[in-house]
Amino acid sequence: MTTSHMRDPSNRSLEALQAQAVSGEGAAFLPDFKDSTVGTMGIELELMVLDRLTFDLFPAAPDILRLLDAQDKPWVHTPEITTSMLEVATSILSSYDEAADQLEHIRATVSRAAFEVGASISGGGAHPFQKWSEQRIYPKERYFASERKFGYLAKLFTVFGMHVHVGAGSADEAIRLCALLTQRAPLFIALSANSPCWQGEVSGFCSSRSNVVGAFPMSGILPAEVRSWQDFRDHFDQLAQYGIVKSIKDFYWDVRPKPEYGTIELRVLDTPLKPVYAAALACYARELCLEFADQPQRWPTNTSRELYIWNRFNAARDGVEGSWIDPDTGTSMPIAQAVRADLERLARRSRDPGFGTACAVLERLMQDGGQAQWLRKHLAAGGAMNDLARMASEFFEEPGKA
């Protein structure tokens, strides 16, 4: 049955249909695109739960989540696929200061809850020495279904990302903004890159996390031929007929529409070592979308998938010291140069009084090779892998908005 047969839910709520599709228990379902305000934003962070003595991953997320259940707060917390990770998500935000304030509240609250159960919390895209085979699937049917579907990849996916939601306004505009933001997604991979180690080895990449996502069958980017919401619905329906997808969550694209929120979702970032970095990165994405929204006829001029893959590879391997080929001009330039050009242009038009502070934070992320190089220097100075994990947790535990 295609999704077109499911668009009149009669006596069942849309939320129930969506939940059943996501769990794999119901028919494929794609909700209508929700109206939203262009430029609002939300931030999701997948966080590591660490043992305070060994700094290995620690399966204490269920205990931490129970403590967070008792907290009265504007943000939400949810489990993730294994018991050594948890997710937090902000409320709807509209400025850098709002984002920085709420992320600081999240940092302090989650850190206190973790301490009560003998754990520590950390950012970072991948734990430096955990072994995927030792991870435990969180006891939730959706995650057991993922394990049945993807096999060992489900545990291998114990990586930690940051997702940025930006309000798109309308369904067709969401597709256009997805296409445009995708072109700059490699810049966000580079800025956030902080996972230079994988399974106890130095990976040779600034973001080893980025390579794991590509193992999933629905990874990649929005197809260039999709130019409207109806195009996307048709694409979804065709894949649903084949049994490939059941919900929007089955798309592991670098940037995807999120119809139930009325947003587009940027999914390529390593979870930053400090929440304040997350606030700045989200505001960069938001300002780009606001700029694109003011250029209603603009579409990518170069939709070469190979060019995108090359830009993505360079960003994951070399971080902020890498190069980026501008799809519009074909010009190769240092990633840091491309980011600074964006920030200078966006700062002139931004109405966010905190965007200047966000730019200063992003400048910090480009200094000394960025987060990945900070960690590599610690290793070069004689630090062990568990020292690296401890260092990352100390970054997270340090209070402050800037």
Side-chain angles (χ1 to χ4, degrees), residues 90-134:
T90 68
S91 59
I92 298 173
L93 308 166
S94 60
S95 71
Y96 170 79
D97 288 337
E98 284 183 14
D101 285 342
Q102 192 165 128
L103 287 168
E104 172 57 20
H105 185 264
I106 287 172
R107 185 206 63 77
T109 305
V110 176
S111 292
R112 283 195 301 269
F115 187 82
E116 289 189 38
V117 300
S120 182
I121 300 295
S122 174
H127 187 275
F129 64 89
Q130 64 92 13
K131 300 300 181 185
W132 67 265
S133 59
E134 297 173 358

Side-chain angles (χ1 to χ4, degrees), residues 293-322:
D294 285 343
Q295 302 167 344
Q297 303 306 313
R298 182 177 176 185
W299 280 88
T301 57
N302 185 334
T303 57
S304 167
R305 187 171 181 272
E306 290 75 19
L307 175 59
Y308 177 78
I309 291 171
W310 182 249
N311 277 336
R312 194 187 197 285
F313 173 82
N314 281 330
R317 185 188 61 193
D318 299 332
V320 295
E321 296 180 322

Side-chain angles (χ1 to χ4, degrees), residues 159-400:
V159 290
F160 305 81
M162 168 184 167
H163 302 167
V164 182
H165 289 263
V166 181
S170 69
D172 285 343
E173 183 69 347
I175 298 302
R176 192 177 72 89
L177 294 181
C178 269
L180 288 165
L181 189 59
T182 294
Q183 304 250 295
R184 277 180 160 72
L187 304 181
F188 288 88
I189 292 174
L191 282 168
S192 65
N194 58 26
S195 50
C197 298
W198 177 249
Q199 302 283 301
E201 300 290 338
V202 176
S203 70
F205 281 74
C206 288
S207 174
S208 61
R209 170 192 173 272
S210 293
N211 298 320
V212 178
V213 181
F216 286 81
M218 285 301 296
S219 62
I221 59 175
L222 178 81
E225 65 270 18
V226 174
R227 302 267 295 192
S228 69
W229 183 248
Q230 187 58 52
D231 287 346
F232 179 71
R233 275 200 178 279
D234 293 343
H235 182 65
F236 182 96
D237 282 353
Q238 183 179 53
L239 295 176
Q241 282 184 317
Y242 298 148
I244 296 173
V245 302
K246 281 200 167 186
S247 80
I248 194 68
K249 282 184 173 289
D250 290 323
F251 291 86
Y252 287 80
W253 292 346
D254 288 355
V255 187
R256 71 182 180 190
K258 204 73 162 78
E260 61 267 42
Y261 297 154
T263 65
I264 64 170
E265 182 184 10
L266 175 66
R267 301 167 44 81
V268 296
L269 300 92
D270 286 3
T271 296
L273 296 178
K274 291 177 69 68
V276 68
Y277 301 159
L281 288 161
C283 286
Y284 178 20
R286 171 180 181 261
E287 293 291 344
L288 281 171
C289 289
L290 287 169
E291 180 183 53
F292 297 150
D294 285 343
Q295 302 167 344
Q297 303 306 313
R298 182 177 176 185
W299 280 88
T301 57
N302 185 334
T303 57
S304 167
R305 187 171 181 272
E306 290 75 19
L307 175 59
Y308 177 78
I309 291 171
W310 182 249
N311 277 336
R312 194 187 197 285
F313 173 82
N314 281 330
R317 185 188 61 193
D318 299 332
V320 295
E321 296 180 322
S323 61
W324 179 70
I325 301 171
D326 187 331
D328 289 329
T329 66
T331 303
S332 179
M333 66 184 72
I335 284 173
Q337 178 183 332
V339 171
R340 289 187 176 112
D342 274 352
L343 297 180
E344 289 174 9
R345 187 184 68 255
L346 295 171
R348 290 193 294 269
R349 67 182 307 280
S350 176
R351 297 180 181 178
D352 181 352
F355 188 62
T357 304
C359 291
V361 173
L362 294 171
E363 186 62 41
R364 167 66 177 138
L365 289 179
M366 291 186 283
Q367 291 177 359
D368 304 319
Q371 296 172 93
Q373 290 292 20
W374 305 346
L375 297 173
R376 283 174 171 168
K377 288 174 183 176
H378 189 71
L379 286 176
M385 288 287 174
N386 63 332
D387 294 322
L388 207 64
R390 175 184 53 78
M391 179 183 175
S393 74
E394 289 172 353
F395 264 101
F396 188 88
E397 290 178 354
E398 182 181 326

